[in-house]
Amino acid sequence: MFTVNKALLWAKNYLKECGLENTALEAEVLLAFCTKLDRVALYRQNERFLSPGEEENFRQMIKRRGQREPVAYLTGHKEFMSLDFLVNPAVLIPRPETELLVEKALEILNAKAFGVGQAVGLSEKILIVDVGTGSCAIAVSIAKYIKYPYEVYIYATEISPAALDVARLNAKRHGVAERIIFWQGDLLEPLKNQGCEGQISLITANLPYIPTIEIACLEPDVRLYEPHLALNGGKDGLDFYRRLISQGREFLRPGGYLLMEIDPAAINQISGLLNAAGWKFNVFLDLAGKERLIVAGQEV
Ligand SMILES: C[S@@+](CC[C@H](N)C(=O)[O-])C[C@H]1O[C@@H](n2cnc3c(N)ncnc32)[C@H](O)[C@@H]1O
């Protein structure tokens, strides 16, 4: 029978043999999940014996991780913006670099920097669209952390009905379901004929951007387990940018912004698309110093 210590040692060695790197952390996270203890409690109770059920469950999870199934899909949870999100293989696992997009959106919203520099009246309704919402990590985080008490409504669009099911659960879980309106459909299409033209203050988008041919070269954790619908950006990875850059302006109100996460490698091509379509924009770097976010508008 395993004690906590022995279980961790076995798991670390097993994962190392499978070629994984963050073996200590992953073993601890999975053991904490299987024993329903937090990681501090695991240290304190390192001589505690695992029950037969816990041990069996832990062994299975470590074996699945050894086959590269992501930890977040094994536990069903992923932290983003210090919030706990439910995830399953229907949704992309939210990435830490996407927090930059949320932080910038909040900075703009909290500064009330709309209407080309005019302050927004507190009673005014603010409409936001999160395109390709996936787990709803972006929309929920904005709804949770928005500072001013004016009315903010977020339209969250998503092509995948299975992803929308997860998005709805997360909105409910974080108490913001009443402020997020979900629409299944293609990019901004669901907003058409809804009176949204010229009404949207902010469009946020972290859309698929991997060129189709490069998907085969991705890490197995991503390639084998994450939904290709969330990864495949078409032949050159830019399909969704082309369409959003052309559709977006119709929906933004004067002084509104389009925030797009990008692949740093595509910065020149995306800048070219924005310039050709007459947008003004700024580029923001992530913590690794890479071009990760574009904020575009008529005036930025
Ligand atoms: C890269 S994932 C990002 C998910 C989420 N926004 C995030 O940041 O974690 C892209 C999402 O766009 C969705 N998607 C793909 N094609 C779409 C389309 N044509 N219209 C709307 N959503 C789409 C995918 O299903 C996926 O959930």
Side-chain angles (χ1 to χ4, degrees):
M1 259 170 86
F2 270 161
T3 59
V4 164
N5 258 349
K6 286 210 173 115
L8 288 175
L9 191 64
W10 166 77
K12 279 187 275 185
N13 288 335
Y14 183 89
L15 294 177
K16 210 171 273 173
E17 277 167 23
C18 294
L20 288 157
E21 278 173 9
N22 294 323
T23 56
L25 177 66
E26 293 187 347
E28 283 171 21
V29 169
L30 290 174
L31 187 58
F33 180 76
C34 292
T35 56
K36 300 189 177 61
L37 294 172
D38 62 30
R39 286 174 54 216
V40 177
L42 283 184
Y43 283 115
R44 291 211 179 112
Q45 301 180 34
N46 57 12
E47 292 304 328
R48 168 190 183 280
F49 282 99
L50 270 54
S51 72
E54 287 171 345
E55 181 169 333
E56 175 58 21
N57 203 2
F58 183 58
R59 283 182 187 275
Q60 291 302 327
M61 286 219 167
I62 290 295
K63 289 197 173 142
R64 285 166 66 185
R65 180 62 196 128
Q67 291 167 349
R68 299 303 180 104
E69 194 165 340
V71 172
Y73 289 152
L74 289 169
T75 62
H77 294 263
K78 178 70 186 177
E79 189 182 302
F80 179 83
M81 293 293 294
S82 304
L83 299 171
D84 179 51
F85 285 88
L86 301 176
V87 292
N88 70 23
V91 297
L92 187 97
I93 299 165
R95 303 294 203 265
E97 56 267 28
T98 304
E99 293 187 355
L100 176 66
L101 185 154
V102 175
E103 281 158 9
K104 191 53 71 179
L106 287 168
E107 198 181 304
I108 293 170
L109 290 163
N110 288 339
K112 300 183 285 178
F114 287 114
V116 198
Q118 291 163 19
V120 168
L122 287 184
S123 61
E124 196 166 343
K125 204 188 277 178
I126 301 291
L127 299 178
I128 299 168
V129 184
D130 181 36
V131 188
T133 199
S135 64
C136 208
I138 295 173
V140 165
S141 302
I142 292 175
K144 274 301 271 188
Y145 291 120
I146 184 101
K147 197 161 81 188
Y148 290 98
Y150 48 65
E151 282 186 279
V152 173
Y153 288 94
I154 305 179
Y155 297 128
T157 77
E158 170 58 57
I159 199 87
S160 153
L164 268 184
D165 288 343
V166 179
R168 285 195 182 92
L169 287 177
N170 280 318
K172 211 167 160 194
R173 181 178 179 79
H174 291 291
V176 293
E178 279 166 18
R179 288 191 283 140
I180 303 182
I181 297 122
F182 293 99
W183 267 324
Q184 198 252 322
D186 181 24
L187 295 186
L188 295 170
E189 288 293 325
L191 274 74
K192 289 199 171 150
N193 307 318
Q194 302 286 339
C196 293
E197 286 81 358
Q199 301 296 314
I200 306 297
S201 295
L202 219 68
I203 298 174
T204 57
N206 177 21
L207 288 164
Y209 55 59
I210 314 279
T212 309
I213 202 167
E214 287 178 21
I215 290 183
C217 312
L218 294 173
E219 287 293 316
D221 308 42
V222 180
R223 171 169 48 86
L224 299 177
Y225 293 97
E226 297 207 74
H228 286 204
L229 200 53
L231 303 172
N232 191 347
K235 196 168 178 211
D236 61 359
L238 301 176
D239 280 7
F240 291 100
Y241 295 96
R242 285 196 188 88
R243 294 178 56 215
L244 193 60
I245 286 168
S246 108
Q247 283 179 11
R249 186 179 280 129
E250 184 189 345
F251 291 94
L252 285 181
R253 60 185 260 180
Y257 297 104
L258 168 62
L259 278 70
M260 300 186 293
E261 178 166 322
I262 62 161
D263 175 359
I267 181 67
N268 290 338
Q269 292 148 292
I270 296 173
S271 300
L273 293 174
L274 285 162
N275 283 326
W279 291 80
K280 295 189 173 139
F281 60 96
N282 286 324
V283 180
F284 295 89
L285 307 183
D286 62 19
L287 291 174
K290 293 184 175 166
E291 291 95 345
R292 185 64 66 186
L293 174 69
I294 285 184
V295 177
Q298 297 311 299
E299 304 204 0
V300 285

